[in-house]
Amino acid sequence: MSGLPKLSRFNENVLSKYQIYNSVFTTLPFDSINNTGVLLPLFHELCKKGFEAGKNPTEIVNSFFTKYLENPSEKEKTDMLFHFIQYIERQVVLFDAIEDAAFPVVNNMDGIGTLRNSRELAIIRNKKEELKAYLEEFKVRIVLTAHPTQFYPGSVLGIITDLDKAIQNDDLILIKKLLAQLGKTPFYKKEKPSPFDEAVSLIWYLEHVFYHSVPRIYNYIQNNVYDGNPIDNEIIDLGFWPGGDRDGNPFVTTEITLNVAERLRQSILRNYYRDVRKLKRRFTFDGVQEIFARIEKRLYKHVVRSYTKVNFSQKILLQELADARKIIETKHQSLFLEELDDFINKVRIFGFHFATLDLRQDSRVHHKAFTQIVKDLHAIGDTTFPDNFEHLSEAEQIKILAVIKGNIDPKVLTDEISVKTIESMYALKEIQQRNGERGANRYIISNNQTALNVMQTFAMLNLCGFENELPVDVIPLFETVEDLKNAEDVMRTLYSNRSYRYHLEKRKNKQTIMLGFSDGTKDGGYLMANWGIFKAKEALTRVSREFDIEVIFFDGRGGPPARGGGKTHQFYASLGPTIEDKEIQLTIQGQTISSNFGTQTSSQYNLEQLVSSGIKNEVFTKDQLNDKHRELIEDMASTSYQTYVDFKNHPQFLPYLEKMSTLKYYAKTNIGSRPSKRSNSETLDFSALRAIPFVGSWSQLKQNVPGFYGVGTALKKYEDAGRFDEVIDFYNASDFFKTLLENSMMSLTKSFFGLTAYMADDPVYGEFWKLIYEEYKTTKRLLLKLTGHKELMENFPVGKASIEIREQIVLPLLTIQQYALKQIQELQKDDSNLEKIEVFEKMVMRSLFGNINASRNSA
């Protein structure tokens, strides 16, 4: 089997099985669904042929009703379309489960990018010691976030897991039962989830996936790279945002933050408790049995009885395990020692926190809170801040903020935002006392523009009673193109401040900086966002090295590794020596969690790819841009940026999104806890618009603008000037540029303008639609010319095949969504149609879910 080409393995183990099990699924009887399984394939074929013939979604849907239903009522029509949506949602789940089950067969678990491959390369090239030295410092941090792009409830996740196993075992009887269960299980949430609900959903992955896959990687490195010796480095860290990410989410309270931290602690201790009970069956020897009985008793108190007194810690548990290990080694011939070592490694990696809960808030909120705090303290005669503080220059304010200490009482504050901000910082302290310092030791400032933004946060943290040194990393997030340009000056100011520099010394001379996130692409377009972040990383690396600081870059999902939905590990492997790379940190969100880390196998594979990408960049290759390449990409990024800005400033840009896309429906769904925009304004404000609904709306239209707009115009400039060969040479010479464009090609592959071709004739938005389509065609044509390929993603046939099948599955869903949007537009011309409008709006919202999950990333 493994000798077959990868595409053949995919076709045999994914495509063929999907066709078989889907035929089983469509014949199963479900309550309230009659003949849907028979009619859906017919509707699918009508959609396919209809778009090929240039028909619009309304014509396709109406022709289906005319051809296959005899004089249906309006209710029968809408009922049938809702039934189709239910079926297609579940077909996506079925395909997910089959693809997950086939993952280890389709992907070579020992091939390029795996740790086994990296180790063998190191041995062949006589670089094993260099590899060991690198892994003593290198880390990968995966930070799970709950953006509104994942809607599977826990019940459905459980079915997917069971289906995965049943498919691997070819257990047709169980598969039929699970498919029947899937048909009867609700997919959508009747109520909007709270941040705590989102946290619980993601903790499912921590318990069922990461708890197993992460130690497996650590154990392999320990046994095969370090020859069984202990490693003083976790190598893989886990981060967590639900419950701590306050940016634009009014529903995240201090109580929720504390409850999520406690849930994380309970979850990891529950896993330890299960493991200890298993280990007790192994270690029945004198001297050891007593230790495990003692550990089990203490864990029982904390897990089963929710013991609240803090008298147990990672340090105490590791000492107990070390004592047991010594006895087993010296008195019991090391019997079952490898099982104990596996458990010890889990405790080292996950501690009592499981995943580090990050706190995040917008700098503008901080500024408002901080300003009010100063006023309130002045009002009660507090002398922490001088009376003229607000009138001082930024430099003078920073000087004062750097040395402030205190223990502010939130009760003296008069403003709700100030109280919530200070209480959240006190929560950090409480979490560290219960979960250990790694439980919550990072505070991220989104939309960070100045050094003052950082120092205000630094000062507020220091006013929360942390004794001696502050055990918290203050992390600025530079998002917009302008902020990225200013980042070097901001950090130089901070590094030059004696008190802040002392703080960094106590934090091992490490400074984490977050770059880009989703707003980078939303603000500056694809090429400029990526190149802007690359340049910012170079500049920040230079200034950090100048001050002997090790800078750690934290990438948001919408930043350089992912916009376009491409191979994240390839991006990291393409970075050169001018960018610090001792750690890889990135957010993983929404359906990307389930697609890349949804099973133990896929999680292990993708984590290994990330670890190996760092190894490749540091130990094996050094891909560095030369002056000519820099000149080319600088010019292309500028051209692309101007093209994108002109597009964004088009008078129809926001109205088009508001009227013709699903943008406003994101806010109405119960997918995520967070509002779709930062402000409460009734009008659509681009700056307040969140990146996820922005990107997702383009994705639902199958016009993946954030992943390609401006790229074609930039390439065409060189074609028109007769200099296209220079771009081809650059593409072939630079892994960074190649990865950038290959990710863009994935965005193009997921675009389908036939779906919305009817908009070309729209009297208001027709010309604007044509503008987008022309850029798409130009980008596609020139990327094919650049790569020498006949079709997009030609060099990634399995990825291309997976996308094509998913796009085919949801084609009827997309058609229904566009039909419903068009019906709403027509019905809104008459105020008497409110009831009908409500039905079609529900149809649009329900169709969002399947499309989101089928895409597996938002653009």
Side-chain angles (χ1 to χ4, degrees):
M1 180 68 69
S2 60
L4 291 172
K6 191 172 182 179
L7 183 59
S8 299
R9 299 199 301 272
F10 176 84
N11 288 335
E12 188 171 319
N13 292 277
V14 179
L15 179 57
S16 296
K17 284 191 176 182
Y18 174 72
Q19 290 167 343
I20 293 166
Y21 295 136
N22 186 48
S23 64
V24 172
F25 177 63
T26 53
T27 58
L28 291 172
F30 301 129
D31 294 342
S32 78
I33 301 181
N34 298 312
N35 299 322
T36 309
V38 176
L39 291 171
L40 180 57
L42 299 173
F43 180 54
H44 184 281
E45 190 63 22
L46 265 183
C47 292
K48 188 178 174 185
K49 289 183 177 177
F51 286 121
E52 287 172 358
K55 291 184 178 179
N56 65 48
T58 304
E59 290 172 327
I60 292 168
V61 172
N62 288 337
S63 66
F64 169 77
F65 289 137
T66 302
K67 192 169 183 179
Y68 294 109
L69 296 179
E70 190 175 341
N71 298 319
S73 66
E74 288 302 312
K75 186 178 185 307
E76 286 173 327
K77 288 180 182 180
T78 55
D79 283 351
M80 178 57 69
L81 294 178
F82 275 115
H83 289 336
F84 282 164
I85 291 169
Q86 284 179 272
Y87 247 85
I88 296 164
E89 284 175 338
R90 288 154 178 77
Q91 285 178 317
V92 173
V93 171
L94 175 60
F95 187 78
D96 279 349
I98 291 169
E99 201 165 38
D100 287 343
F103 192 93
V105 178
V106 174
N107 297 278
N108 186 349
M109 299 298 289
D110 295 324
I112 294 171
T114 63
L115 286 172
R116 182 184 292 263
N117 176 256
S118 295
R119 174 182 172 271
E120 288 173 355
L121 275 176
I123 292 170
I124 291 168
R125 299 182 188 182
N126 199 27
K127 288 191 172 187
K128 188 179 177 185
E129 290 305 312
E130 196 176 336
L131 176 60
K132 284 170 68 175
Y134 182 66
L135 287 172
E136 282 169 9
E137 295 186 26
F138 178 72
K139 285 186 195 293
V140 167
R141 182 186 290 256
I142 297 293
V143 181
L144 305 185
T145 76
H147 285 295
T149 53
Q150 169 62 280
F151 81 99
Y152 289 151
S155 54
V156 175
L157 289 173
I159 296 171
I160 294 174
T161 302
D162 293 341
L163 260 177
D164 178 342
K165 292 175 184 172
I167 290 165
Q168 286 186 55
N169 297 328
D170 288 321
D171 187 343
L172 186 58
I173 294 172
L174 180 56
I175 290 168
K176 284 185 73 172
K177 287 182 179 179
L178 289 169
L179 290 175
Q181 181 188 1
L182 190 66
K184 294 172 179 286
T185 302
F187 268 45
Y188 62 95
K189 300 178 176 75
K190 293 179 181 178
E191 294 180 359
K192 200 173 183 68
S194 71
F196 185 77
D197 295 331
E198 291 175 329
V200 170
S201 295
L202 289 190
I203 288 171
W204 187 94
Y205 290 98
L206 292 178
E207 287 202 60
H208 293 87
V209 180
F210 289 101
Y211 183 73
H212 305 282
S213 61
V214 173
R216 202 173 292 151
I217 293 170
Y218 185 93
N219 294 342
Y220 179 86
I221 293 171
Q222 185 179 52
N223 294 327
N224 296 281
V225 178
Y226 288 87
D227 304 317
N229 296 312
I231 317 166
D232 188 24
N233 178 20
E234 297 82 21
I235 298 175
I236 297 172
D237 281 334
L238 298 177
F240 206 76
W241 274 18
D245 183 9
R246 284 170 162 69
D247 181 13
N249 193 339
F251 308 112
V252 177
T253 63
T254 301
E255 183 184 13
I256 281 179
T257 300
L258 291 169
N259 287 343
V260 169
E262 180 58 20
R263 183 64 176 248
L264 285 164
R265 190 178 79 96
Q266 290 286 326
S267 298
I268 190 59
L269 295 183
R270 191 185 309 121
N271 277 278
Y272 291 165
Y273 180 69
R274 292 191 193 113
D275 279 358
V276 165
R277 287 177 64 84
K278 291 175 187 173
L279 288 171
K280 272 186 70 183
R281 296 178 63 181
R282 292 282 184 259
F283 299 115
T284 52
F285 328 133
D286 283 342
V288 182
Q289 191 176 22
E290 294 81 357
I291 292 174
F292 277 96
R294 193 160 61 239
I295 292 171
E296 182 191 19
K297 188 176 179 180
R298 298 190 80 167
L299 286 170
Y300 179 85
K301 281 184 180 181
H302 286 266
V303 175
V304 179
R305 289 170 52 190
S306 296
Y307 199 61
T308 54
K309 190 175 179 182
V310 182
N311 64 347
F312 196 29
S313 66
Q314 178 190 25
K315 185 178 179 181
I316 294 170
L317 179 54
L318 283 173
Q319 185 57 58
E320 293 269 43
L321 294 171
D323 293 343
R325 192 183 193 282
K326 189 173 182 180
I327 296 169
I328 295 163
E329 216 173 9
T330 55
K331 296 184 179 180
H332 303 291
Q333 295 77 48
S334 298
L335 195 59
F336 297 121
L337 194 63
E338 68 281 357
E339 293 184 36
L340 177 58
D341 283 343
D342 174 63
F343 183 61
I344 289 172
N345 288 342
K346 285 175 178 174
V347 178
R348 281 177 179 159
I349 294 165
F350 301 120
F352 273 35
H353 66 288
F354 215 159
T356 300
L357 184 62
D358 289 347
L359 268 64
R360 182 171 80 119
Q361 184 56 282
D362 191 285
S363 65
R364 292 163 293 194
V365 175
H366 274 170
H367 180 72
K368 186 177 178 182
F370 177 79
T371 303
Q372 189 60 46
I373 288 169
V374 174
K375 289 178 181 177
D376 287 342
L377 291 178
H378 282 160
I380 62 170
D382 189 289
T383 57
T384 302
F385 297 94
D387 291 340
N388 65 339
F389 181 81
E390 292 176 47
H391 304 290
L392 297 175
S393 68
E394 182 173 312
E396 289 170 323
Q397 286 190 0
I398 287 173
K399 195 173 180 180
I400 293 168
L401 293 171
V403 295
I404 277 174
K405 281 282 197 181
N407 204 339
I408 192 170
D409 184 354
K411 291 176 183 174
V412 306
L413 303 176
T414 61
D415 179 67
E416 186 183 12
I417 292 176
S418 304
V419 172
K420 286 181 175 179
T421 302
I422 291 297
E423 283 183 344
S424 73
M425 293 175 174
Y426 273 112
L428 278 172
K429 191 177 176 183
E430 188 174 336
I431 293 166
Q432 289 190 2
Q433 288 170 349
R434 292 181 59 75
N435 296 19
E437 188 189 307
R438 288 170 66 202
N441 60 7
R442 291 150 52 99
Y443 202 109
I444 298 157
I445 311 157
S446 52
N447 194 48
N448 197 97
Q449 298 175 343
T450 65
L452 187 62
N453 292 151
V454 177
M455 294 309 293
Q456 285 175 343
T457 306
F458 182 68
M460 285 191 286
L461 284 163
N462 276 313
L463 284 170
C464 292
F466 286 102
E467 296 175 8
N468 303 318
E469 288 79 41
L470 179 66
V472 178
D473 295 323
V474 184
I475 303 173
L477 165 51
F478 301 103
E479 301 188 57
T480 66
V481 172
E482 197 60 34
D483 292 343
L484 289 168
K485 288 178 182 176
N486 297 333
E488 180 183 7
D489 290 339
V490 169
M491 296 315 298
R492 182 176 292 280
T493 301
L494 294 172
Y495 292 156
S496 300
N497 183 279
R498 185 179 297 175
S499 296
Y500 190 79
R501 186 72 179 80
Y502 176 78
H503 165 69
L504 290 180
E505 284 176 17
K506 298 302 175 183
R507 304 301 293 166
K508 299 181 180 179
N509 281 316
K510 293 183 177 183
Q511 171 69 56
T512 302
I513 300 173
M514 194 171 180
L515 294 170
F517 210 41
S518 298
D519 284 338
T521 307
K522 174 181 156 241
D523 177 61
Y526 181 73
L527 271 185
M528 179 56 86
N530 281 277
W531 178 233
I533 290 168
F534 188 94
K535 286 194 298 180
K537 283 185 174 181
E538 287 191 318
L540 291 166
T541 298
R542 281 195 305 271
V543 71
S544 299
R545 287 174 179 171
E546 181 186 328
F547 284 87
D548 292 323
I549 302 294
E550 182 186 311
V551 67
I552 297 163
F553 294 116
F554 180 15
D555 289 304
R557 171 68 189 160
R563 182 55 61 235
K567 301 287 187 181
T568 306
H569 60 273
Q570 287 182 354
F571 172 83
Y572 284 113
S574 73
L575 300 179
T578 55
I579 291 176
E580 198 70 75
D581 61 353
K582 290 285 177 62
E583 291 193 28
I584 289 174
Q585 296 190 8
L586 72 158
T587 61
I588 302 293
Q589 68 198 35
Q591 72 282 39
T592 309
I593 298 171
S594 55
S595 62
N596 288 356
F597 303 95
T599 67
Q600 291 178 30
T601 307
S602 62
S603 171
Q604 181 182 338
Y605 180 84
N606 285 301
L607 284 170
E608 284 194 24
Q609 293 285 323
L610 282 171
V611 173
S612 296
S613 69
I615 294 168
K616 180 176 184 288
N617 187 34
E618 182 63 26
V619 179
F620 297 134
T621 59
K622 298 280 188 182
D623 181 40
Q624 191 165 2
L625 298 177
N626 61 36
D627 291 343
K628 177 66 175 173
H629 294 161
R630 287 176 179 278
E631 188 181 311
L632 283 170
I633 195 166
E634 181 72 48
D635 184 57
M636 281 189 280
S638 296
T639 304
S640 174
Y641 177 63
Q642 193 54 55
T643 305
Y644 179 79
V645 169
D646 290 345
F647 172 66
K648 197 172 67 173
N649 291 336
H650 193 290
Q652 288 182 331
F653 180 82
L654 284 178
Y656 179 81
L657 271 178
E658 197 166 22
K659 301 289 185 186
M660 306 300 278
S661 82
T662 58
L663 181 65
K664 63 184 177 184
Y665 298 100
Y666 270 84
K668 295 181 180 182
T669 60
N670 291 323
I671 301 175
S673 73
R674 198 169 64 174
S676 62
K677 56 184 181 178
R678 288 184 172 90
S679 70
N680 295 319
S681 170
E682 289 296 318
T683 57
L684 186 59
D685 175 11
F686 184 78
S687 63
L689 178 62
R690 289 207 165 276
I692 294 298
F694 172 74
V695 170
S697 297
W698 290 114
S699 178
Q700 296 277 330
L701 281 170
K702 289 298 158 188
Q703 303 169 11
N704 288 317
V705 161
F708 72 81
Y709 203 92
V711 175
T713 299
L715 292 173
K716 191 171 185 301
K717 177 180 175 180
Y718 282 82
E719 182 187 50
D720 292 345
R723 299 175 59 192
F724 203 71
D725 285 347
E726 294 176 37
V727 184
I728 293 173
D729 291 341
F730 181 21
Y731 175 82
N732 291 326
S734 167
D735 286 345
F736 169 73
F737 189 52
K738 182 178 289 186
T739 304
L740 209 58
L741 296 188
E742 284 175 348
N743 284 356
S744 185
M745 278 189 261
M746 186 176 284
S747 268
L748 294 171
T749 304
K750 292 180 178 181
S751 297
F752 175 49
F753 280 82
L755 178 71
T756 56
Y758 71 92
M759 292 183 187
D761 299 324
D762 189 275
V764 178
Y765 299 107
E767 293 305 311
F768 188 74
W769 183 91
K770 290 174 186 174
L771 185 69
I772 302 169
Y773 185 46
E774 285 304 314
E775 184 66 16
Y776 162 81
K777 288 194 295 183
T778 301
T779 307
K780 180 179 178 180
R781 177 180 68 80
L782 290 173
L783 284 177
L784 290 175
K785 180 179 179 180
L786 176 64
T787 57
H789 295 163
K790 292 181 180 177
E791 52 186 32
L792 296 169
M793 292 184 68
E794 190 177 293
N795 52 336
F796 295 108
V798 171
K800 180 180 173 64
S802 178
I803 289 170
E804 285 176 350
I805 296 168
R806 290 173 178 280
E807 296 298 315
Q808 282 300 306
I809 291 171
V810 296
L811 184 64
L813 199 60
L814 293 163
T815 308
I816 292 168
Q817 186 182 81
Q818 285 298 314
Y819 167 77
L821 285 168
K822 191 66 178 171
Q823 292 300 305
I824 292 166
Q825 289 170 19
E826 293 299 319
L827 290 167
Q828 283 174 338
K829 295 173 182 177
D830 186 345
D831 291 340
S832 65
N833 293 320
L834 293 178
E835 197 173 317
K836 289 182 179 179
I837 289 172
E838 193 176 326
V839 171
F840 285 110
E841 284 189 333
K842 184 181 177 185
M843 195 176 288
V844 173
M845 287 185 281
R846 285 298 312 281
S847 62
L848 281 170
F849 303 145
N851 291 335
I852 286 168
N853 279 292
S855 71
R856 287 213 156 187
N857 43 41
S858 295

